[in-house]
Amino acid sequence: MKVKLTLQMIKAIKPDERSTVWDTEIKGFGLRVNADGTKTYILKYLFQGRQRWFTIGKHGSPYTPSAARDEAIRLLGQAKSNEDPIKARKAERAAGTTVAQLCDDYLSAAEEGRLLTKSDRPKKASTLATDRGRIERHVKPLLGKKRVVDVTQKDVEKFMFDIAAGVTAVNVKTRRHGRAIVEGGQGTATRTVGFLGGVFTYAVKIGLRGDNPVRGVRRFKDRKNERYLTGDELRRLGHVLQDAEDAWKAYELERVAWIERNRSGEAPTPAAEAEDPVAIEALRFLALTGARKSEVLELTWECVDLEYGYLRLKDSKTGAKAVPLGKAAIDLLRRMPTIAGNPYVFPGKLQGQHLVGLPRIWERLRGRAGLADVRMHDLRHSFASIGASGGDSLLMIGALLGHRDSRTTQRYAHLANEPVKDAADRISGMISAALGSRSKTPIRTGR
């Protein structure tokens, strides 16, 4: 349909299906009408022999038919002067885009599943939360106001050294019972620069700049993840886990007796060392399998194959995978009760929900065991450490931990013919013995 685009005519158009009305005065200038009633001015033109489409803007302020027609004339003149209007607009937008705006766009793209990980999968919620924290606590405070096109390699280097020096370190209250503790250090600096590199790769992809300023920046060596529990440390942890479980069972017995007395007298309270037995078993399972925290907490009974001794996970950091289980891990699963209406192996206190609050419980337990520098994820490293020091190949360890990239397993190379299933059985058996033993029998680990 061709007609002179006027304000009166445009108001009279009733949306039906998507259609385009072409202007009779300016060739290629038109109005796109969508079924939802929105109306957008467009321009179709030729540039270097190729047909191009340019969206001028939506009908309304600032674009009236007259203003949109004037813009179309300007754009056609630009194309005639051998300057592509589309590339010119991208350059204009890029020139004004700040790092903070880029980060917001990056997060939106990731949340919508438009950015994939190395495993060709959308980022998980936990990864997005980490990304958001790095942006809000480090990137925006240090680089947020700079234009994307102005960031240099020197800026990135200064960014890294500032984080390492603790410039962005904070310890502030965020909610009624929440607190944000952001630390500096070389490990934090290195990982944040690595993340920034991904953000600028995205900037290159969408045409905001032609190069990545993070490339070539020499980072600190990240040693934070190289922590393995010794045999003595595993025993100490095992004693603390058992004492916490026993204290809770004693409390439950006292509570039953109190109820049987018609609740007469003061209600019993858990001892200071008492902890939820479900949380204790979840921590033991982490140690016995080398699984990730999210894999254990979100584990449902439908993914447990006790007959063949496997966890058949439908989703994980690296996608669907089968995790072989040793006898000690299988025995733990067999003693876990099932709760009607709750699909989780490690159920929480709320109906139908999995266990929550495990990090806080871990902090208390590791403190009692004298392991203040040990993270929950170090149980995974310790599982691999014992396997490597026991003679299992890196290929075997990578299979046990579910690594897709062999380079990930190389961190255990300095520690290192059986089938994968036998290796899982032996490693979990050794850890189980350490957790339950009070003897001084040495256990070989990566230290």
Side-chain angles (χ1 to χ4, degrees), residues 60-89:
S61 180
Y63 288 113
T64 62
S66 178
R69 187 179 286 105
D70 289 342
E71 178 65 6
I73 293 172
R74 186 188 73 81
L75 293 169
L76 289 171
Q78 196 174 44
K80 192 173 181 180
S81 300
N82 205 32
E83 183 183 0
D84 188 358
I86 292 178
K87 288 186 177 180
R89 172 179 279 186

Side-chain angles (χ1 to χ4, degrees), residues 13-20 31-40:
I13 296 176
K14 294 182 179 180
D16 185 8
E17 295 183 355
R18 181 171 175 171
S19 60
T20 301
L31 181 78
R32 180 174 292 146
V33 183
N34 296 312
D36 62 0
T38 57
K39 300 167 184 177
T40 305

